[in-house]
Every structure is written in structure tokens, then in C-alpha cells.
Amino acid sequence: MPTVPAFPAFPAVPAVPAVPAVPGTVLLSGIVGSTAYGFAHAGSDIDRLGLFATPTEELHGLERPAESHVGTAPDLTLHEAAKWCRLALSCNPTASELVWLSQELYEVRTPLGDELVGLRTAFLSAPAVRKAYLGYADQQFRKLLTRDTTDPATRRRAAKHARHLVRLVEQAVRLHETGRNLIRLPDPERVRELGERIADRPTLAEGLLAGAADRLARPGVLPAAPDPRPAESWLRRVRAAHYTPPREPLRNPGTPVQSTGGALGPTG
């Protein structure tokens, strides 16, 4: 029976600092970005992503609560549950990876968060994967074309764009052909070396983009459209679980004003 090669161990990361105050409950969060992909090195930033539930009664007023909170100490992005679902249904690569992380990378897990992980394949669709992943990869390619790599700092940025371009096209093809999103790359060092070559010669990426587009145009395992029903049902359970009824009874509004049948009374 063939053995499955083990991935290199994740580098040790510092304990998550106190999560910034948000008007709600964090349901799921974890370490994403370079650490999750296998690109991290000494001194790399630790990126965290999560989703939270706004208290349901806060959704009933005139003003809509903020749907995202972004902080830099730590580097943490939190999306409200409904916004995260919308992003995931469009197969946004950054938001979607939250439900495909290796178990050791999760830092906050609740029963509702675990439910969402179990629903992750319902968010997928072939057209959305093709549009989102190739769209992001093309953005990285365009950034490469405008970088002056004679400057060392700019050269490092170019290499980062190139690595993510390679990652995005490989993740897109894997999703299309297997229905699984492998966040931890099997061979991150190969991707790193390829990124270095592309940073020096951006035109090398044209073949990768064309090849991925060709494979994504063929029949795959993903449906033509996502199934929003599991997400809708989950979100309604979130709303029910985070609703606090008023503690005081409603005040008597007083005696109703007698109707004039639509006619205005005298004004003076």
C-alpha cells in the first residue's frame, strides 16, 4: 500500500494576541497566508483570518453594523458571517481558505464554526473558481509587469507576487479537478524557486496562466453553480443562536389615533 509523503512541520508561531474587540462572537479563526501555504521563513508576518456573528438584534436598526474588521497588531481580518458566506459563494480565494486549513492552524473553533467547515464544498462552483482564482493570478501577473526589479525591496515583492501566482493557478486546477482545496502546498520549495525565476522573467508566467485556463475549460468535478441552501440554513442558525430577546416588555404605545379616513383636518 503506497505511503503518503508527510508535509514538513509547520513553523512554530507565537500565541495569538488578544482578538480585537468586535461587536459579536468569533466563530472560526486561524492562521492563513504564507504560513499556511508553506512559504513562511524567519521574520515572516503571521496573518490571521476569521469570521464572527453580529448580535442579531443589531441587524434590526437603521444603521448596518460593520461587516469587516481589519487590524495590524496582530495582522487579523474578521468578516461578519453573512459577508463571509457571500465571499465564499463567489470562491474568493482569500476568504475561502479559512475552511480548508490544516487542523493545527485553527485558533478559534466553535460548534457553528465546525459546521461551516463541514459545508465547505457547497460553496464551490466551476465558473466561480475559474473567475476568482484566475482573476487573482492575473492581478499578480500585472503587478509583475510593472515592478522595477533592480531595487532589492521591489525584487522581493515581485518574487512574492510570482509565488502567489503559481499557488493560485495550482489551487484552481486542483479544485476544478478534485473538488478539494489543498492550502498546504505539497512542494513549497519548488513553488518558491519557480517564483524566483518568474520574478526575473515575468513572461514565464504566461504559459502557466494559459495552461491553467485550458484545464479549467475542460469538464471537472465542480457544479455549474454553488448550492446556497446549506449556507442559508447555517446563517439562520447563527442568527437564532445570537439573538437576545428584549428583557423588558414593550411599553403600551397608548391610545391609537382615530383615523380621519385619509382627509386632513383643519390646520387653523
Side-chain angles (χ1 to χ4, degrees), residues 95-154:
S96 296
E97 67 187 51
L98 179 61
V99 292
W100 293 92
L101 296 176
S102 299
Q103 298 302 312
E104 60 267 38
L105 292 179
Y106 287 109
E107 296 182 316
V108 175
R109 296 187 66 160
T110 65
L112 282 166
D114 284 339
E115 282 187 40
L116 190 63
V117 172
L119 301 175
R120 60 192 182 184
T121 57
F123 292 93
L124 298 173
S125 64
V129 165
R130 181 167 57 248
K131 179 179 179 181
Y133 280 77
L134 288 189
Y136 272 58
D138 187 64
Q139 287 179 18
Q140 303 300 315
F141 179 61
R142 294 182 185 281
K143 290 177 181 178
L144 284 171
L145 296 177
T146 61
R147 294 289 185 189
D148 177 10
T149 54
T150 58
D151 176 67
T154 305

Side-chain angles (χ1 to χ4, degrees), residues 11-181:
V13 296
V16 61
V19 175
V22 295
T25 302
V26 175
L27 303 178
L28 189 68
S29 71
I31 297 172
V32 294
S34 296
T35 302
Y37 310 140
F39 295 152
H41 55 81
S44 292
D45 293 332
I46 304 297
D47 299 311
R48 291 174 164 96
L49 174 67
L51 63 90
F52 68 98
T54 289
T56 303
E57 57 271 22
E58 296 297 323
L59 301 172
H60 296 164
L62 291 174
E63 299 295 329
R64 300 291 293 182
E67 287 195 303
S68 295
H69 294 269
V70 180
T72 56
D75 291 329
L76 172 65
T77 298
L78 293 170
H79 295 305
E80 209 284 321
K83 179 177 181 178
W84 186 90
C85 286
R86 293 194 299 271
L87 291 171
L89 286 167
S90 69
C91 291
N92 177 282
T94 304
S96 296
E97 67 187 51
L98 179 61
V99 292
W100 293 92
L101 296 176
S102 299
Q103 298 302 312
E104 60 267 38
L105 292 179
Y106 287 109
E107 296 182 316
V108 175
R109 296 187 66 160
T110 65
L112 282 166
D114 284 339
E115 282 187 40
L116 190 63
V117 172
L119 301 175
R120 60 192 182 184
T121 57
F123 292 93
L124 298 173
S125 64
V129 165
R130 181 167 57 248
K131 179 179 179 181
Y133 280 77
L134 288 189
Y136 272 58
D138 187 64
Q139 287 179 18
Q140 303 300 315
F141 179 61
R142 294 182 185 281
K143 290 177 181 178
L144 284 171
L145 296 177
T146 61
R147 294 289 185 189
D148 177 10
T149 54
T150 58
D151 176 67
T154 305
R155 171 62 173 72
R156 288 193 294 272
R157 295 291 300 173
K160 182 176 181 180
H161 293 318
R163 287 195 298 274
H164 288 299
L165 184 156
V166 177
R167 170 185 63 83
L168 286 161
V169 297
E170 291 190 359
Q171 286 179 329
V173 170
R174 188 179 297 110
L175 268 169
H176 181 74
E177 295 179 349
T178 71
R180 309 292 295 177
N181 192 357

Side-chain angles (χ1 to χ4, degrees), residues 203-267:
T203 54
L204 292 175
E206 293 176 345
L208 286 177
L209 292 168
D214 179 67
R215 291 176 70 172
L216 292 172
R218 303 172 192 171
V221 301
L222 298 181
D227 183 0
R229 293 171 297 178
E232 178 73 21
S233 177
W234 176 83
L235 189 57
R236 289 180 180 274
R237 292 197 298 278
V238 169
R239 299 301 183 222
H242 292 86
Y243 175 64
T244 303
R247 294 186 177 182
E248 298 181 1
L250 294 176
R251 295 180 180 179
N252 187 339
T255 304
V257 177
Q258 184 176 358
S259 172
T260 61
L264 296 176
T267 59

